[in-house]
Amino acid sequence: MADEQNPQLPLGDGGNGDIGPGAANILPINVEEEMRRSYLDYSMSVIIGRALPDVRDGFKPVHRRILYTMHEMGLQYNKKYTKCAKVVGQAMGQYHPHGDSAIYDALVRLAQPFSMRYPLVDGQGNFGSVDGDPPAAMRYTECRMMRVAGELLADIDQETVDFVPNYDESTYEPSVLPTRIPNLIINGANGIAVGMATNIPPHNLTEVVNAAIEMVNNPHAGLAEVLKHVQGPDFPTGGFIYGRSGIAQAYKTGRGRFLMRAKCAIENLTQGRQAIIVSEIPYQVNKNTLIKRIAELVNDKTIDDISDVRDESDRDGMRIVIELKRGAEPQIVLNQLYKHTQMQESFSMIFLAVVNGQPRELSLPDAIRHFIDHRIDVVRRRTAFLLRKAREREHILIGYQIALDHLDQVIRIIRGSNSRADARENLFQFFSGKTITVGDQALKGVTLDPAKYAIDPATLIAPTLTLSYRQIDAILELQLYRLTQLSIDELLKELADVRDRIAEYESILASEKKLRSVIVKELEAIRKDYGDERRTEIIDEAAELKLEDLIADEQVAVTVSHQGYLKRTPISTYRQQRRGGQGRTGMKTRDEDFVSQLIVESTHAYLLCFTNTGRVYWLKVYEIPDVGAAGKGKSIQSLLSLQPGETVRTILGVRNLEEEGKYIFFATRNGTVKKTPLKDFSNVMSRGIIAIGLDEEDELVGARITDGKQIVFLATHEGMAIRFDEEDVRSMGRPARGVRGIELGKNDYVVGIAVTPKERKNENGVSCPCLILSVTENGYGKRTDVDEYRLQSRGGKGVINVKTTARNGKVSSIQLVDETSELMIISQYGKIIRIDTKTIREAGRSTQGVKLLTLEEDDKVAAAVVIPPEEAKQEQENGTLLQ
């Protein structure tokens, strides 16, 4: 960048040509390139050096360094415990220059039996719990390695792996552990790096080792052979894996999803009362949080059939007791718990590990194959190391053998030498065939025959056998008791044994098959010592038992109060009375509350609940509580996720939401109408969806199910009505606002909608009358044939429906009836009457009607609903209808 005063001068020039100190070392860089390079370096550092495990030993650097530190400190499984603080300090000071809390957290996880399928650290003290309790501070806890951890470090001192300088190059650490067990697979791993993550589930050691043995013997084995041995993940907390579908695909691609479930049993407490006993929970689920969640569901009335939840876990195992109410169905409660709690949890597998310094997603066979390749490398390097050591020992033992064959000369030379160095040189010269002088005596050197000592002449430096200085040093250090005949025999026997081992090592290095057989034997020993039974059981998916399966398919009356209380009651509860009767109490309400809606439907039907704001919610009739005829019911807010200010206006019963050729026809308060295909509402969503778009100050009045070719009837509060062909209204999508249905007068609004077929004929082809029953606020009503209302085009003003006066009041509602219909009328104060509609006089359009229900002075009609004729007929046959 140039100076602002003189663009030709470099930065730091004061204008006189002088450049500030150090300015000559400033280099211009591109910030974008520097950020890209630095972030890439950081990303790779996190990926390789912190977050992802190595495919060979399954460890991140911190875990590898912790175990190597414990190995150096001699904390084997059969040694005494040592303070965790000491291990953490040693690991941090020598190998892992990060925070002590990070190291201690990693050490704690290695010791937790609910986190690790095969724990590697034996902890003494508080190392946390499945309830989420934190571990004690590192100064209080002690640790040592588990026996299985020793298999991860076996042969590490035999040049089996590469050692690299530590962070300050003061010592060396292993780049990988020479593990004998496939730790990555049996213990799993999880970690989040930059732009990638890994989440490997734990597996059963016996199954994985069996699969590894299969692949060692058959290098071309694939997923099919592996799946013969590996059933699926095996979690330390047990439980179930629900469903086998997807396991093979997950192991093939390295990505998949497993559904975990708690292990439960049903116990009988007392007569009629049962309890669900949870003995195992899904992996990585907090037991205490699970119990709190169940309690919340009970308090929120989401699950009604639970009376108590308590934790009875102890040192013998987990035991969560969920007591059920009398008569509750345990399987249904279990299904609800699976749905709403972590008793059912998914595990998303991402089999990502570092392979040759690069992160790679692996299939299960690839992961096992990389472990086998690592074992081949370790065994080959170990064999080469042992071969070298055996040859070195053979070299010393041959020197002993030669010395023992010439023992008298050796003793004479040593006694006649002035010093150790003099004796060393005299022995070397003597066994080189040269004549030497010891004191005043001359000794003729010897020439040795290689064949006598079974030495390959090709390995000799000189043509004839001579002793090396290493052999001579060993002879000089030979203790006198080794000169006994017994010791001489032992030396010769050791030499034979060493030569046998050399031959064995050479054969292993020369034969791939033999090397693989060594690996198989070691894997079999691992399986024998550490193999165990599966803890997680894999079960097939089964059709869940739903509440619907236990509910009888019958007609019920569903009532909704003005303040949102909902209940269902068998319609047989209400006895039929004569016209003008006093009725009976159908719902106990508060003084300020009243019944606003009533609908009759099957218990197995869907209820499409349309609200005043134009939204629709779904509800199964059987989900509504049956609390008896006089019960208050349940708040609709606990059954539907209504938005603030929403009230349910229309409830339609539907058995098949996918039925073709069916429509929902809407009518709004301001006279707008619209029809939408029924299948547009088949995607059931608990939060509800928009059913019709509404203008401001408009709201939904009613909705009906049609076949798209019916006649629509709209009635208004002031006693007007219009009748038009449904085909005048084209089909529209859910968010559409619709078209004008009726032109309203001042202060008038739509109160009801009815639909009638164009052809009204019975089974015998005889024309059937279709009547509109209009009910007014003061309990009056009349029946009028729909043909009395002339067919018009939609959008007109309509004709008179009811002559409204102070005596009968404004129109409250309308219903479509025939000669077999029965009517239920409900008042705002909760009075209900059931009437045979044929007892109501048929009248023309411009009449006031007759009294249907005797009301108190300030009571009004809230709703009127027609009972299906087949239900009324069935009750009559059962003798439940009273005249």
Side-chain angles (χ1 to χ4, degrees), residues 724-750:
F724 59 87
D725 196 325
E726 182 186 353
E727 292 182 341
D728 291 350
V729 182
R730 64 180 176 85
S731 178
M732 305 178 192
R734 290 189 297 100
R737 295 178 181 272
V739 294
R740 178 177 292 180
I742 186 172
E743 185 177 341
L744 298 172
K746 186 178 180 180
N747 297 326
D748 199 4
Y749 57 89
V750 174

Side-chain angles (χ1 to χ4, degrees), residues 107 153 184 247 254 264 308 381 402 445 499 503 527 623 661 698-699 751 755 820 822 856:
L107 187 150
L153 292 147
L184 178 67
I247 291 180
C264 307
D308 188 25
R381 294 179 62 165
I402 295 172
R499 283 177 169 161
R527 181 181 60 191
E623 295 176 341
D698 196 6
E699 60 183 25
V751 296
V755 293
T820 64
E822 293 189 8
E856 297 178 17

Side-chain angles (χ1 to χ4, degrees), residues 227-240:
L227 291 178
K228 292 178 182 178
H229 304 284
V230 181
Q231 300 180 40
D234 188 23
F235 299 106
T237 52
F240 293 111

Side-chain angles (χ1 to χ4, degrees), residues 203-204 207-208 211 225-233 247 251 364 368 534:
H203 291 78
N204 183 266
E207 295 179 359
V208 175
E225 289 76 15
V226 170
L227 291 178
K228 292 178 182 178
H229 304 284
V230 181
Q231 300 180 40
I247 291 180
Y251 285 156
L364 183 61
I368 297 175
R534 282 188 66 87

Side-chain angles (χ1 to χ4, degrees), residues 557-561 565-567 574 587 595 597-599 826:
V558 179
T559 56
V560 184
S561 78
Y565 287 94
L566 197 69
K567 72 161 188 172
Y574 305 104
M587 174 183 281
V595 175
Q597 291 186 34
L598 183 146
I599 188 170
I826 190 165

Side-chain angles (χ1 to χ4, degrees), residues 512-797:
E512 179 80 10
K513 182 179 179 181
K514 198 161 188 177
L515 187 143
R516 287 178 174 269
S517 69
V518 172
I519 296 175
V520 168
K521 288 180 182 178
E522 292 180 350
L523 288 173
E524 289 173 345
I526 292 294
R527 181 181 60 191
K528 179 181 178 181
D529 292 339
Y530 307 105
D532 58 359
E533 297 295 327
R534 282 188 66 87
R535 298 182 186 176
T536 301
E537 184 179 347
I538 301 176
I539 58 175
D540 295 321
E541 292 178 336
E544 291 186 356
L545 180 64
K546 298 181 180 178
L547 186 58
E548 183 175 352
D549 301 329
L550 305 176
I551 299 297
D553 191 352
E554 61 181 358
Q555 296 291 111
V556 293
V558 179
T559 56
V560 184
S561 78
H562 178 68
Q563 291 191 349
Y565 287 94
L566 197 69
K567 72 161 188 172
R568 64 179 167 92
T569 308
I571 60 174
S572 57
T573 302
Y574 305 104
R575 61 185 176 90
Q576 187 182 29
Q577 298 179 9
R578 296 185 183 274
R579 177 175 63 84
Q582 293 295 322
R584 59 167 292 168
T585 302
M587 174 183 281
K588 290 184 178 178
T589 58
R590 302 174 184 175
D591 293 341
E592 68 275 11
D593 199 5
F594 58 87
V595 175
S596 63
Q597 291 186 34
L598 183 146
I599 188 170
V600 176
E601 266 302 344
S602 163
T603 52
H604 285 199
Y606 274 104
L607 294 186
L608 295 180
C609 302
F610 297 93
T611 68
N612 60 324
T613 62
R615 294 177 66 83
V616 61
Y617 298 84
W618 294 263
L619 190 65
K620 280 283 192 179
V621 173
Y622 65 74
E623 295 176 341
I624 300 169
D626 183 355
V627 295
K632 184 176 66 172
K634 188 172 183 178
S635 171
I636 200 168
Q637 296 289 344
S638 63
L639 297 173
L640 300 177
S641 302
L642 296 178
Q643 296 182 352
E646 274 192 309
T647 57
V648 175
R649 287 297 174 85
T650 298
I651 302 176
L652 299 179
V654 182
R655 294 297 292 262
N656 181 13
L657 295 174
E658 297 284 353
E659 188 173 357
E660 293 289 341
K662 293 293 184 180
Y663 297 87
I664 302 292
F665 196 95
F666 301 93
T668 73
R669 180 185 175 90
N670 291 347
T672 299
V673 295
K674 188 193 80 165
K675 71 176 181 180
T676 301
L678 175 62
K679 62 183 180 181
D680 287 4
F681 302 93
S682 60
N683 185 18
V684 179
M685 302 177 70
S686 61
R687 65 176 183 274
I689 59 174
I690 295 174
I692 180 174
L694 296 176
D695 296 327
E696 291 186 14
E697 299 181 356
D698 196 6
E699 60 183 25
L700 184 66
V701 169
R704 298 291 184 270
I705 297 177
T706 73
D707 60 8
K709 299 177 181 180
Q710 294 182 277
I711 303 300
V712 178
F713 183 90
L714 298 179
T716 72
H717 186 62
E718 296 291 339
M720 299 298 290
I722 191 172
R723 185 166 169 257
F724 59 87
D725 196 325
E726 182 186 353
E727 292 182 341
D728 291 350
V729 182
R730 64 180 176 85
S731 178
M732 305 178 192
R734 290 189 297 100
R737 295 178 181 272
V739 294
R740 178 177 292 180
I742 186 172
E743 185 177 341
L744 298 172
K746 186 178 180 180
N747 297 326
D748 199 4
Y749 57 89
V750 174
V751 296
I753 176 177
V755 293
T756 62
K758 291 181 181 179
E759 298 293 333
R760 302 190 301 275
K761 293 183 180 180
N762 61 15
E763 297 176 354
N764 300 323
V766 179
S767 179
C768 296
C770 196
L771 306 172
I772 294 293
L773 174 60
S774 300
V775 180
T776 63
E777 294 176 334
N778 293 342
Y780 285 75
K782 69 182 181 72
R783 295 185 301 161
T784 306
D785 195 303
V786 294
D787 290 334
E788 294 280 334
Y789 306 87
R790 61 183 175 88
L791 200 62
Q792 298 177 260
S793 298
R794 67 162 182 84
K797 292 184 178 180

Side-chain angles (χ1 to χ4, degrees), residues 598-600 773 815-818 820-824 837 864-869:
L598 183 146
I599 188 170
V600 176
L773 174 60
Q815 294 294 331
L816 189 64
V817 298
D818 57 26
T820 64
S821 298
E822 293 189 8
L823 182 71
M824 269 190 175
T837 59
V865 177
V866 172
I867 299 173

